[in-house]
Amino acid sequence: MPIVEINILSGFLGSGKTTLLQKILEKEQRKGKNVAVVMNEMGQISIDSDSVPKDMPLKELLNGCVCCTLSDKLEVQISELLSQYDLDVIYIETTGVAHPVEVLDTCLSPLLAKKVRIHSIITLLDAVCWMERKKLKIPLQKLIAEQVKHADLIVLNKIDCISKKSQKSIEEELRSINPTGKVIPAEFANIDINTVISLQTKERGEYEKVHAIQHLHMKTYVHTFLHPISEKLFEEFLRTMPDTIYRIKGYIRFIGIPDTFLFQYAYGMPFQTKSGLKMKNTLVFIGDNLDHNKLQKTLCNIEKNSMQLGH
Ligand SMILES: Nc1nc2c(ncn2[C@@H]2O[C@H](COP(=O)(O)OP(=O)(O)OP(=O)(O)O)[C@@H](O)[C@H]2O)c(=O)[nH]1
């Protein structure tokens, strides 16, 4: 059986992994490669799976992080992909709080080791998050540094949000943490995809198998609105978001607007785009110490007040 390449997409919550994955998948399909994707998401529902072409084999690992609880399942899913499809390459998009080496460990399990080759670990780094990382809890700061340290390629993303001067100094910092990794600055993960495909496979020794950080145990909360809500009340709500909510994503509908929007929020920055899909009005929140009851109450109130406000 031919050896199947595995690429691991790592990077903290909202750093641009799915944005890059979409571009890579397009390119790989154009080249006629047989590609499969494994997506690991923190929430009980998957928002990002729509980014994968419908005809591409996709496995989802929901409601947990590979490095904490889902390692065995990842192994099984890769095995299934290998036995069910004739593949050239598998892309694994990890959750933002996964340690890339722990994902690598799983892929190098005795069951898989002879069938796959780890081609690359690609880490997406949100430039703003990096500059403001001291605001995060210490384990998260360490995790982001680990994601940088173990990467073959670091995509320094979101450089549209920082100055040229900051970009230069971040690039220097990254090189000091990971002297052998390639650093590419990018906006919306726009990089030459050939850089990814042509990365040289590193020999990965036992010494890299470390359990470097304590598990982070991020919490998630999933909320479904039954009706469209007021855009104004929703914007007001976003302005009250605590620093400990790192990521929100999902689908949302507003009163008076027929479209469904794909909604994204990372580090205080909301972003929404029209989605052609008719999805449930569901949002996934990811953060530290999420107060489920408070969030639920606030969001239910927004829905109730939206109906009274009517816009
Ligand atoms: N301003 C700006 N926004 C970006 C850039 N790249 C991605 N984004 C936006 O950042 C948000 C998160 O991007 P994703 O690609 O979903 O990030 P992710 O790492 O897959 O997110 P998780 O899977 O939740 O960890 C989206 O709203 C993107 O459109 C960039 O270079 N600049």
Side-chain angles (χ1 to χ4, degrees):
M1 198 157 77
I3 302 274
V4 176
E5 282 183 356
I6 291 191
N7 291 293
I8 299 169
L9 287 184
S10 146
F12 193 54
L13 296 162
S15 53
K17 297 178 291 296
T18 308
T19 310
L20 178 64
L21 179 67
Q22 277 181 302
K23 295 176 204 286
I24 294 178
L25 296 182
E26 272 172 40
K27 179 85 177 180
E28 293 277 35
Q29 273 199 322
R30 262 185 274 131
K31 287 184 135 197
K33 289 273 190 77
N34 293 320
V35 185
V37 174
V38 180
M39 279 198 159
N40 180 204
E41 293 210 53
M42 293 292 298
Q44 297 106 302
I45 61 157
S46 169
I47 303 295
D48 294 337
S49 55
D50 294 319
S51 325
V52 177
K54 291 279 169 284
D55 54 347
M56 192 171 275
L58 167 70
K59 297 274 183 191
E60 291 172 291
L61 282 163
L62 301 178
N63 209 13
C65 183
V66 167
C67 65
C68 301
T69 50
L70 300 179
S71 167
D72 293 348
K73 285 196 184 137
L74 174 65
E75 193 177 346
V76 171
Q77 292 202 329
I78 296 176
S79 273
E80 282 177 5
L81 284 174
L82 295 175
S83 61
Q84 289 166 6
Y85 302 94
D86 180 15
L87 294 173
D88 299 309
V89 54
I90 298 175
Y91 286 88
I92 302 175
E93 180 178 334
T94 62
T95 71
V97 292
H99 191 297
V101 173
E102 299 200 24
V103 181
L104 183 85
D105 264 9
T106 305
C107 300
L108 295 177
S109 75
L111 181 66
L112 301 173
K114 288 209 160 58
K115 302 177 188 164
V116 300
R117 185 177 65 230
I118 306 297
H119 177 249
S120 65
I121 296 177
I122 303 160
T123 291
L124 271 289
L125 186 69
D126 178 329
V128 179
C129 171
W130 179 260
M131 286 174 69
E132 296 181 353
R133 66 194 184 285
K134 294 270 148 49
K135 289 187 193 162
L136 297 171
K137 289 197 321 192
I138 299 284
L140 289 178
Q141 293 182 33
K142 281 192 187 161
L143 171 72
I144 297 175
E146 287 286 316
Q147 291 175 337
V148 167
K149 184 173 160 196
H150 295 283
D152 300 293
L153 173 67
I154 303 153
V155 179
L156 175 58
N157 199 29
K158 306 200 183 182
I159 56 162
D160 52 310
C161 303
I162 59 164
S163 67
K164 273 267 169 254
K165 192 166 161 234
S166 306
Q167 182 189 323
K168 286 280 159 267
S169 84
I170 298 177
E171 284 178 30
E172 274 168 33
E173 284 177 278
L174 299 181
R175 284 199 194 94
S176 74
I177 296 174
N178 180 348
T180 57
K182 200 175 168 72
V183 179
I184 304 184
E187 285 179 30
F188 287 88
N190 265 321
I191 60 167
D192 177 358
I193 302 301
N194 288 324
T195 317
V196 175
I197 295 170
S198 63
L199 276 171
Q200 292 297 318
T201 306
K202 235 192 209 175
E203 280 304 316
R204 297 178 197 277
E206 283 294 314
Y207 65 92
E208 286 205 59
K209 294 190 177 186
V210 288
H211 288 262
I213 49 158
Q214 69 195 74
H215 292 312
L216 296 157
H217 300 299
M218 286 272 162
K219 294 235 168 59
T220 63
Y221 171 67
V222 179
H223 189 89
T224 300
F225 292 109
L226 299 176
H227 306 280
I229 55 160
S230 154
E231 191 169 9
K232 180 169 169 279
L233 293 183
F234 187 62
E235 280 171 9
E236 279 172 19
F237 161 70
L238 290 178
R239 282 196 282 277
T240 66
M241 207 57 55
D243 284 352
T244 46
I245 292 185
Y246 302 115
R247 190 83 171 100
I248 310 171
K249 53 187 172 177
Y251 293 92
I252 194 152
R253 282 185 297 134
F254 297 115
I255 293 176
I257 306 177
D259 306 286
T260 297
F261 290 91
L262 171 62
F263 177 78
Q264 306 258 14
Y265 171 99
Y267 315 106
M269 270 201 289
F271 190 80
Q272 65 198 37
T273 44
K274 278 185 191 171
S275 162
L277 303 165
K278 282 266 168 270
M279 304 299 282
K280 266 194 182 170
N281 231 356
T282 297
L283 294 177
V284 180
F285 293 75
I286 305 173
D288 271 332
N289 306 319
L290 285 189
D291 185 338
H292 280 206
N293 290 339
K294 192 171 161 207
L295 263 176
Q296 187 181 35
K297 210 166 141 203
T298 308
L299 293 164
C300 286
N301 277 337
I302 289 180
E303 182 157 11
K304 202 167 90 196
N305 295 338
S306 295
M307 288 200 281
Q308 282 164 5
L309 197 66
H311 62 89

